[in-house]
Amino acid sequence: MKIQVDIDDQYEETSITIQTNEWTEELERLLAFIKSETPKRLFGIEGEQTILLDPEKIDFIYSENRKVYAAIDNRHLEIRLKLYEVEEMLSQHHFMRFSKSVIGNIDRITRFELSFNGNLCVYFQSGNKEYITRKYVTKVKNKLMTGGKSDDI
């Protein structure tokens, strides 16, 4: 990748031009980074404590009974946001939609198995497992082949 920066008083605002022959994962990440604002913090509630969550340690986030939870190892911490809000926040951290009620961290997947009904059962580094519904299987498999960094797949 070649980068050129031209700083001159003649420019009133910042402008970015990208010239390429094909769309790549690297370009997608670069655009996501450029468009992102100051990242919001993600907090989990456990009992009386509020805990700052590291997205890299979260296996998946799911909604159940109108509440949203983050699965980290064997802990399930409540997040006081809507699932779609969490999905937007974590999209740059390799989280993808697994089903209507689950988004998962594809970087933490170690293996997956095809279920009898066409869904994928994915296993995470922590031992947790979750299902990807047929609607999202192709998208997740493509992302795993091109963008996921797990070496076990």
Side-chain angles (χ1 to χ4, degrees):
M1 179 186 313
K2 196 166 80 174
I3 299 174
Q4 295 177 330
V5 178
D6 182 11
I7 300 173
D8 195 326
D9 291 338
Q10 73 179 6
Y11 304 120
E12 293 179 20
E13 65 180 351
T14 303
S15 173
I16 297 173
T17 303
I18 298 174
Q19 299 171 330
T20 183
N21 62 343
E22 67 179 354
W23 185 261
T24 64
E25 185 70 26
E26 179 184 37
L27 183 58
E28 187 174 330
R29 284 193 309 268
L30 179 62
L31 288 176
F33 177 76
I34 290 169
K35 289 179 182 179
S36 68
E37 299 173 10
T38 305
K40 297 177 184 173
R41 300 277 177 144
L42 188 61
F43 296 98
I45 310 295
E46 186 174 51
E48 298 293 317
Q49 295 182 343
T50 301
I51 301 166
L52 181 60
L53 302 178
D54 179 0
E56 292 180 11
K57 295 185 177 172
I58 299 172
D59 289 335
F60 59 93
I61 302 200
Y62 64 98
S63 64
E64 185 177 88
N65 298 326
R66 297 186 179 245
K67 292 187 178 183
V68 175
Y69 299 92
I72 302 173
D73 296 325
N74 61 350
R75 298 164 65 193
H76 296 264
L77 307 164
E78 183 181 349
I79 298 174
R80 295 207 172 132
L81 294 169
K82 302 282 186 207
L83 190 61
Y84 73 88
E85 294 172 327
V86 177
E87 182 178 20
E88 287 174 11
M89 287 176 64
L90 298 179
S91 63
Q92 63 188 0
H93 293 283
H94 293 136
F95 277 77
M96 288 189 71
R97 183 69 71 158
F98 282 10
S99 68
K100 186 177 176 184
S101 60
V102 178
I103 58 172
N105 185 344
I106 63 170
D107 285 346
R108 297 208 26 101
I109 295 173
T110 57
R111 64 187 172 96
F112 55 90
E113 298 172 356
L114 188 60
S115 298
F116 66 92
N117 58 2
N119 294 346
L120 272 183
C121 180
V122 295
Y123 294 85
F124 295 94
Q125 295 167 2
S126 66
N128 283 330
K129 72 177 182 177
E130 188 55 59
Y131 290 90
I132 302 173
T133 57
R134 283 183 292 173
K135 179 179 177 180
Y136 299 98
V137 166
T138 303
K139 221 175 175 182
V140 172
K141 283 175 92 174
N142 289 340
K143 183 75 168 183
L144 285 169
M145 288 190 281
T146 61
K149 66 181 180 187
S150 179
D151 297 330
D152 298 347
I153 298 174

